[in-house]
Structures are given as C-alpha cells and as structure tokens.
Amino acid sequence: MYDKHILTDEGARSIWEDGKKVGYCVNLKINYYRGLPLCCVDEIALTVDGEEVDPATMYVQHNGREYPYLEILSDDFPTDFYWLFGEKLRVVVKKDGGIEQGRHKVKVVLKTRRSYTPTMVAECEKELTFA
Amino acid sequence: MKSVTTKNYDIKLGVSLYSYQDNYYFHKHDLEGCIAAAAGSGAQGIEVFAEMMMPEWPYISDRFVDLWNGWMRRYGVEPVCFDHFSDRGMWKNKQLTDEQMVERGKLYIRTAAKLGCPIVRVLHNEHIGPGVSPYRLTDVKIVEQLLPLCAELDIMLALELHAPTTLEDPAHHQYLEMAERLGLPYVGLMADFSMYEYCASTADVGLAIRQGATPEILEFYRNSQREAYFRGEPFIYEEIADQIEKLNPNDVDRRFIAMQNRMVGQGPESYETLKQYASSLVYCHAKFYDLDEDGQVDNIDYPKVIQALKDGGYKGYLSSEFEGNRRMNDAGWVDEIEYVRRHQKLMRECLEK
C-alpha cells in the first residue's frame, strides 16, 4: 500500500509571479499499483495547518498543462490523460501571498476509482517544508 | 540454467512485472531494470501491464515497440501476457457504455499483438466471483465482440480465476461455451494460485497486527487453518468460533477473519480438479505473498499445485506474481527482487522433482 507515500516532500513551495507569491503547490503520487486516467480521481482533499483548502482554488498540473481541479472531476473529462504510476501529480493552490516559507502540516485524502472494487481511499499527513 | 523444459513437462517460468511494483514506484528500477531482474531470476517469460510501466499508454509508439523488442532480445526473454483492465467507472456520474468497453478491450488486444504478447489477461466480470465489483466489468457479451479480433491477431484471452472463485464455477464456463458456439476458441481459463491458499499468509497477519489486530488471535486462527490442512481436513471456522470469541476479538481481528473465511474458506481448491483442468488452462499466475525459511510459499502448497499441473499435462507459463509488497511495505522496504529470485528457484525445484 502506498498510502504513506502519496504525499511527497519533493517540490513543495510557493508559486510566484512578477516577484509576488500567488499560490503554493504539493506533489502527490498515486495510491494504486498502476496509473489511472485523471478522470478516475474521485477526490483530492487538502488540509493545510488544519484548514481545508477550497477545491475551487485547486489546479492540477499534468504533462505540461494545467486543469482546474473541479474540471477533472466532471463527466466526460478525457480518459486518456494518465496519472502515471510512480510519477508526481502537481497540485497548485491559488492564493494571494502563497504560503509562508517553512514547515506546515499537510493532510491529503485521495480517492480513486479502479472499477473492480469500491473507490480506494488513501490518507496521508506529513509536515512538509515549503520553499 | 535458462531452459527448464525437459522431457516430462512443457512448462516454462515467467515473471509478472507486477512483482517489482515498489522498485518502479520508488524509481529504483525502470522498465528495463525490471525486465533485467526477471531475466536474472532465471525466468523466460515476461508479463506486463502498460498502465504500470509504459508511460506512452494508451498510444504505444513503434519506437517503443522497437525498444521493447530490443530488450526481449538482449535479456533473452519473451513477452507472455499483457494485462487488460476494465475501467468502466471512468467518471463520477457516468460510466463507459458496453460499446466503449469493447473499444477499450480492442485497444488492449491490439497493443498486446504489437508487443508480441500471445495472451491477454482479461479482467472479466466474475474474476473474484460474481457480484463483488461495483461496476459491471468485461462480461460475456463484451468478450463475444472481442473474439473476432483475437482470431485475426492470434491472441488468446485468459480469464483469471482468483480466490474465492473456482475452476468449476459455471460463471466462467459461459465464456467458453459462447466461444465454442461461435467457433472462435480464443478464450481460456487461467488459474491464479490464490485458489490454493490453505491458510492466511504471514504477510497478511503482519499487516493486520500493525493495523491493530491481536497477535494471539491471528496466530490461533492461522494455526487452526494449518492444522486442518495438514490433517487433510476442511477448516471449519464454526469449530473454533467460540474459542476466538473468548479472546475478545476487536474490529481489525473480525475483519481479518471475515476476509480469510471468504477468500481461503475451508482450504485450497481440489488438486484433483486442477489436474483435470490442467491441459485446458492457457496461463497461470503463480501468486505468492511470503516465503518461509525453507523457501516454501508460506500459505500455498507449491509442490502439490505444480505436481497437479504436471500430471494433468499443463502446457504454458507459470508466472511469479509477488503480492507481498503491498502487504509489507508499510513496515519498510520489501526486497521484491530477492523474493522473486527465491520463488523462481522454488518453482524450478518443483518442476524438476
């Protein structure tokens, strides 16, 4: 089971534009033994320092493109954009001021559909250092 | 060392790269490294699934096929099986139609043919027994529409029979009857050795204990399963249920026991039946979770299973499918490469006996 590893400590940092922080990101790995199409993500719920992140401010970066998180949950989202097994999916939270540099407690609940059993739920909480 | 084929059997050994999932997930080995590991264990055959180790999926390029073929040649192995999945539940409120499931099925078959895999493990609707999956998977009507393409590309679909289902379950035989009716014999049965578990694996026991189960209860339960098996009797849970209750099982204990009672039940499926079916099987997953200090699989009687396959005239591959990684990696690194190496050695010994 990869539950302990779905939240990586790699690449957690603020996102900047024109010298200002406009958000922050974390990288996730899949909770399954193969890659799945992004549309098989049932939920990504983030909590940072005890506060739930508004899903409407979340974006997913995949293969050089960025999708609003809520869009990948919508019916008819393409079935051939694969979150590759072992590879990171970058989740960006748009927020003025980004995140204060240093350590933050991050919790992620990741739910994915794999068809032959009920939806898989993985939960992981870690203290990450944001750059 | 490579060739295990001798006069009295025609069984070859392979490895499902599923066995090396942690090595891949944690970037210790890439696909080529996993193929090298399989070849190094003495195996001749490779089973692979694209969604695990082929990033180009679902659009496998000719360039990748050339690379793949080069690896097969360099490591002296051959592709044996390509795994199909039935991802019908693509969206929250909407599922793939049967027509779309057929199209996806064809994609797997065409890709297998491109990669030179003669067998596609099809994830059929009843692979873990009817009524378990939340979605209707690839059922007999869908398979019917895949068979003409299989005939054209000479691909055999293998129905994976996984515990708690059995070789004799009519739910699987409906596929064979349909194929026979159509005169398209491109679907066959594949035995997953999970059908021959006679007790809980130590890998499962360890995981449950780390999740809060009571060691004494699980040990008592597992020992009771083992004693029944080695006495040659079915394991009847009701006979020990009172003793278990006296030990005050918690929720984790109860879940563990319920799962075991469902998956292992009264013990392994009949070796005699396996022998009867052996010559008609098209593929086997030599499943295992843990090995004991003697190099035996700790909860499947490999010497008996392999003897039944030999006696029944099975012709084909036995592919190591190590599933201990998922059960033990919460406690630390699991040395998949070493597990597979020892498992291949065990299978060679069983074959040569």
Side-chain angles (χ1 to χ4, degrees), chain A residues 26-131:
Chain A
V26 291
N27 285 292
L28 307 182
K29 288 177 81 173
I30 207 161
N31 60 336
Y32 191 26
Y33 65 70
R34 60 186 170 113
L36 286 172
L38 280 180
C39 60
C40 287
V41 170
D42 204 58
E43 187 179 5
I44 299 171
L46 276 180
T47 308
V48 178
D49 297 326
E51 265 187 53
E52 285 174 26
V53 174
D54 177 1
T57 64
M58 286 165 50
Y59 293 77
V60 168
Q61 290 181 352
H62 174 264
N63 218 4
R65 289 188 183 181
E66 185 174 273
Y67 307 94
Y69 161 69
L70 293 174
E71 193 179 303
I72 68 166
L73 305 186
S74 61
D75 293 347
D76 291 326
F77 189 79
T79 59
D80 55 355
F81 298 169
Y82 269 78
W83 180 359
L84 299 178
F85 178 68
E87 297 303 322
K88 289 177 288 209
L89 184 70
R90 196 185 201 208
V91 179
V92 171
V93 178
K94 303 244 164 141
K95 189 186 180 193
D96 284 343
I99 193 165
E100 199 180 326
Q101 191 171 70
R103 296 183 76 77
H104 295 273
K105 198 172 250 182
V106 179
K107 189 175 99 172
V108 62
V109 178
L110 171 63
K111 300 181 185 170
T112 48
R113 285 186 303 274
R114 64 158 177 182
S115 293
Y116 61 92
T117 61
T119 299
M120 298 174 293
V121 181
E123 197 176 311
C124 184
E125 188 165 3
K126 279 181 185 167
E127 214 171 66
L128 303 181
T129 298
F130 283 79

Side-chain angles (χ1 to χ4, degrees), chain B residues 142-153:
Chain B
I142 294 171
V143 169
E144 180 171 343
Q145 295 178 69
L146 298 176
L147 291 184
L149 182 64
C150 291
E152 186 189 322
L153 300 175

Side-chain angles (χ1 to χ4, degrees), chain B residues 285-299:
Chain B
H285 263 170
K287 162 89 40 91
F288 72 115
Y289 313 97
D290 206 356
L291 298 168
D292 65 21
E293 55 277 14
D294 302 322
Q296 292 292 326
V297 172
D298 76 308
N299 71 332

Side-chain angles (χ1 to χ4, degrees), chain A residues 2-35:
Chain A
Y2 296 124
D3 295 29
K4 274 171 38 178
H5 305 284
I6 59 170
L7 183 58
T8 77
D9 57 3
E10 294 167 25
R13 65 174 180 85
S14 278
I15 305 285
W16 294 65
E17 267 175 31
D18 298 327
K20 279 188 185 139
K21 293 184 188 177
V22 295
Y24 60 92
C25 67
V26 291
N27 285 292
L28 307 182
K29 288 177 81 173
I30 207 161
N31 60 336
Y32 191 26
Y33 65 70
R34 60 186 170 113

Side-chain angles (χ1 to χ4, degrees), chain A residues 1-2 4-6 29-37 39-43 73-80 82 84-87 113-119, chain B residues 18 21-22 24-27 49 51-52 55 57-59 85-94 104 123 127-128 132-135 137 207 211 325-326 329-330:
Chain A
M1 297 197 310
Y2 296 124
K4 274 171 38 178
H5 305 284
I6 59 170
K29 288 177 81 173
I30 207 161
N31 60 336
Y32 191 26
Y33 65 70
R34 60 186 170 113
L36 286 172
C39 60
C40 287
V41 170
D42 204 58
E43 187 179 5
L73 305 186
S74 61
D75 293 347
D76 291 326
F77 189 79
T79 59
D80 55 355
Y82 269 78
L84 299 178
F85 178 68
E87 297 303 322
R113 285 186 303 274
R114 64 158 177 182
S115 293
Y116 61 92
T117 61
T119 299
Chain B
Y18 174 98
Q21 57 183 270
D22 285 4
Y24 192 91
Y25 187 87
F26 295 110
H27 300 286
F49 40 104
E51 293 105 318
M52 182 178 254
W57 172 260
Y59 311 112
F85 289 89
S86 294
D87 294 316
R88 190 190 281 273
M90 281 287 183
W91 305 286
K92 260 188 197 302
N93 313 302
K94 196 176 160 182
R104 278 187 80 81
L123 193 62
H127 83 292
I128 44 177
V132 177
S133 305
Y135 306 96
L137 305 177
L207 177 62
Q211 291 173 342
N325 29 30
R326 290 163 60 205
N329 66 7
D330 62 305

